[in-house]
């Protein structure tokens, strides 16, 4: 029998539009003979809506208007609050049982453990990391603490709280000077390069931090790995995860892999798969990617991003527990280059979600 899979996308974060694009790709890749898709768009106000036609399609060549879930895109829907019922209830009272949820929601309120905790409470199987790994994976400052404790090398950085900046900006500037310029300022709990600024000198720091604080109370200052290469590795699995081949990102016409380079400029970056790196470097990147996945207690999937120094050493930049999932995103392309097609990858992720849920059900920790 076909499995009924609810694709959850959109949401309240600044990465709303990227989530919509990812969800469209996931839905298009699902085999209709194996899955019945229930698309659920979440507006920027937090309303859940059934969207039978799925998320809107990105306009060809668009540089401005990315698709989003708007109010009244469809009838409102909610998850039945009876634990274990695994049923969606529409505003007209109709009920739709589901087998598994695939949250394709990037950023806060989707990738940070919020929706994962809600689904745990409801006893619904879902794709991807659990509450703890999702929360830590979202917070770049906290994940670096755990990486260091696990012996995983990370970029030299400083964590700056908004209160610190407001009360003593000179002290923050001194800490930034210790890192050296150029450096990067970014929100601690966001992705897709939203709010990221490359700071070339002290005079640019204020504007960069104020931009980062638009998205949260905590920001990161990170030393720039000048001359370094951006390498990414995909991880797949639960208790025994495996790593893909590595890919390399080469920005074109942009100083770094910015939001515009990723999503608005079609020629903003070149993805090179497999990355032209020595075999021993690939082996070390795969080892560190799996180690990082396990250190955060991840499940299902994650993408681990590295900087490769000119001297050859690897530094972990961050881990993403719900990486971009468009047809041209690095995560699915890495697995395709490793021998797993996009549709097969989606199948495997659903299998891992149900496997994890069944194990927890037998243990009695979920309904």
């Amino acid at each position: 029998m076909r499995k009924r899979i609810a694709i959850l996308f959109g949401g309240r974060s600044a990465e709303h539009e990227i989530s919509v694009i990812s969800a469209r790709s996931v839905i298009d890749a699902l085999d209709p003979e194996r899955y019945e898709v229930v698309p659920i768009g979440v507006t920027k106000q937090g309303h859940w809506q059934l969207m039978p036609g799925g998320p809107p399609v990105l306009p060809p060549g668009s540089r401005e208007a990315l698709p989003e879930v708007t109010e009244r895109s469809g009838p409102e829907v909610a998850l039945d609050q009876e634990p274990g019922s695994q049923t969606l209830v529409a505003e007209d009272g109709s009920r739709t049982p589901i087998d598994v949820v695939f949250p394709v929601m990037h950023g806060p309120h989707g990738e940070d453990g919020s929706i994962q905790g809600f689904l745990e409470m409801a006893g619904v199987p879902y794709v991807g990391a659990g509450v703890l790994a999702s929360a830590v994976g979202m917070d770049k400052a906290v994940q670096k603490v755990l990486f260091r404790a696990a012996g995983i090398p990370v970029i030299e950085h400083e964590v700056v709280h908004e209160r610190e900046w407001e009360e003593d900006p000179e002290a923050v500037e001194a800490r930034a000077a210790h890192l050296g310029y150029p450096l990067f300022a970014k929100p601690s709990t966001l992705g897709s390069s939203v709010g990221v600024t490359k700071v070339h000198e002290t005079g640019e720091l204020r504007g960069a931090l104020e931009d980062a604080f638009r998205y949260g109370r905590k920001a990161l200052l990170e030393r720039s790995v000048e001359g370094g290469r951006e390498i990414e590795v995909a991880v797949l699995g639960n208790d025994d995860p495996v790593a893909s081949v590595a890919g390399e990102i080469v920005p074109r016409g942009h100083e770094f892999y910015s939001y515009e380079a990723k999503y608005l400029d079609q020629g903003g970056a070149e993805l090179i798969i497999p990355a032209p790196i020595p075999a021993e470097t690939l082996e070390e990147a795969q080892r560190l990617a799996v180690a990082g996945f396990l250190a955060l207690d991840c499940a299902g999937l994650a993408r681990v991003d590295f900087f490769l120094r000119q001297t050859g050493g690897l530094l972990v930049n961050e881990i993403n527990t719900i990486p971009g999932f468009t047809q041209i995103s690095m995560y699915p392309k890495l697995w395709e280059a490793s021998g797993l097609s996009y549709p097969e990858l989606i199948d495997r992720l659903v299998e891992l979600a149900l496997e994890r849920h069944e194990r927890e059900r037998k243990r009695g920790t979920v309904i």
Side-chain angles (χ1 to χ4, degrees):
M1 293 181 62
R2 292 195 303 169
K3 289 184 173 62
R4 187 175 285 135
I5 179 170
I7 308 295
L8 199 59
F9 59 92
R12 294 165 53 196
S13 88
E15 298 179 73
H16 176 104
E17 291 82 0
I18 310 310
S19 167
V20 176
I21 299 171
S22 290
R24 179 76 263 171
S25 293
V26 171
I27 291 171
D28 290 344
L30 287 166
D31 182 353
E33 294 186 0
R34 299 188 60 189
Y35 302 102
E36 179 184 344
V37 179
V38 183
I40 303 174
V42 182
T43 69
K44 292 182 178 180
Q45 293 72 39
H47 299 141
W48 289 31
Q49 299 178 148
L50 277 176
M51 297 175 61
V57 179
L58 177 67
S62 172
R63 288 181 55 87
E64 299 295 338
L66 294 179
E68 64 178 79
V69 180
T70 59
E71 293 292 334
R72 308 309 302 174
S73 294
E76 288 201 10
V77 66
L79 192 60
D80 189 353
Q81 296 185 25
E82 182 64 30
S85 77
Q86 297 184 203
T87 300
L88 294 167
V89 183
E91 57 186 341
D92 63 2
S94 60
R95 299 171 65 85
T96 305
I98 56 175
D99 295 300
V100 64
V101 172
F102 195 146
V104 192
M105 298 176 68
H106 308 306
H109 311 297
E111 192 175 354
D112 62 355
S114 300
I115 192 67
Q116 290 78 12
F118 175 67
L119 295 172
E120 293 275 2
M121 290 283 289
V124 178
Y126 60 91
V127 170
V131 177
L132 174 64
S134 296
V136 175
M138 189 78 256
D139 194 319
K140 299 176 182 66
V142 175
Q143 69 178 244
K144 290 181 192 297
V145 173
L146 295 181
F147 283 157
R148 278 181 164 170
I152 297 170
V154 299
I155 298 170
E156 189 175 354
H157 64 282
E158 292 283 344
V159 180
V160 181
H161 291 265
E162 188 172 26
R163 175 185 52 78
E164 295 178 283
W165 174 246
E166 292 172 345
E167 294 180 355
D168 195 351
E170 290 78 14
V172 174
E173 289 172 354
R175 289 159 58 193
H178 172 71
L179 291 174
Y181 290 94
L183 56 80
F184 285 92
K186 62 178 66 174
S188 180
T189 54
L190 207 59
S192 296
S193 295
V194 175
V196 178
T197 304
K198 188 169 185 178
V199 183
H200 302 85
E201 58 184 28
T202 305
E204 298 175 2
L205 185 63
R206 178 177 297 275
L209 279 174
E210 287 177 355
D211 189 34
F213 288 135
R214 289 173 53 204
Y215 303 101
R217 65 180 184 83
K218 190 166 57 175
L220 275 178
L221 300 178
E222 295 180 344
R223 182 189 295 274
S224 177
V225 183
E226 292 298 292
R229 298 162 63 185
E230 296 187 52
I231 304 296
E232 299 187 350
V233 174
V235 183
L236 179 68
N238 286 336
D239 295 332
D240 190 22
V242 294
S244 72
V245 301
E248 180 175 2
I249 296 171
V250 182
R252 300 297 187 195
H254 299 266
E255 194 171 8
F256 68 99
Y257 197 34
S258 63
Y259 182 89
E260 183 177 0
K262 287 181 179 179
Y263 304 113
L264 301 181
D265 183 353
Q266 289 186 328
E270 181 181 1
L271 306 185
I272 303 174
I273 304 172
I277 55 178
E280 59 270 21
T281 303
L282 170 60
E283 184 178 341
E284 178 66 359
Q286 292 172 323
R287 184 190 71 81
L288 289 172
V290 170
F293 187 94
L294 294 174
L296 270 57
D297 196 27
C298 292
L301 73 160
R303 194 193 70 233
V304 183
D305 302 345
F306 299 86
F307 285 111
L308 177 60
R309 296 175 184 247
Q310 286 182 309
T311 56
L314 284 164
L315 295 171
V316 171
N317 180 23
E318 64 183 58
I319 192 168
N320 294 272
T321 55
I322 303 183
F325 241 95
T326 72
Q327 291 281 5
I328 61 171
S329 293
M330 187 64 101
Y331 187 85
K333 287 179 73 68
L334 287 171
W335 280 115
E336 184 177 20
S338 302
L340 196 63
S341 70
Y342 195 109
E344 290 171 330
L345 174 60
I346 302 297
D347 288 345
R348 182 62 183 139
L349 289 170
V350 171
E351 290 170 1
L352 288 166
L354 294 172
E355 170 192 296
R356 179 168 169 262
H357 183 81
E358 180 61 18
R359 186 174 65 244
E360 297 301 322
R361 188 188 65 78
K362 289 180 178 178
R363 190 176 288 118
T365 53
V366 298
I367 297 173

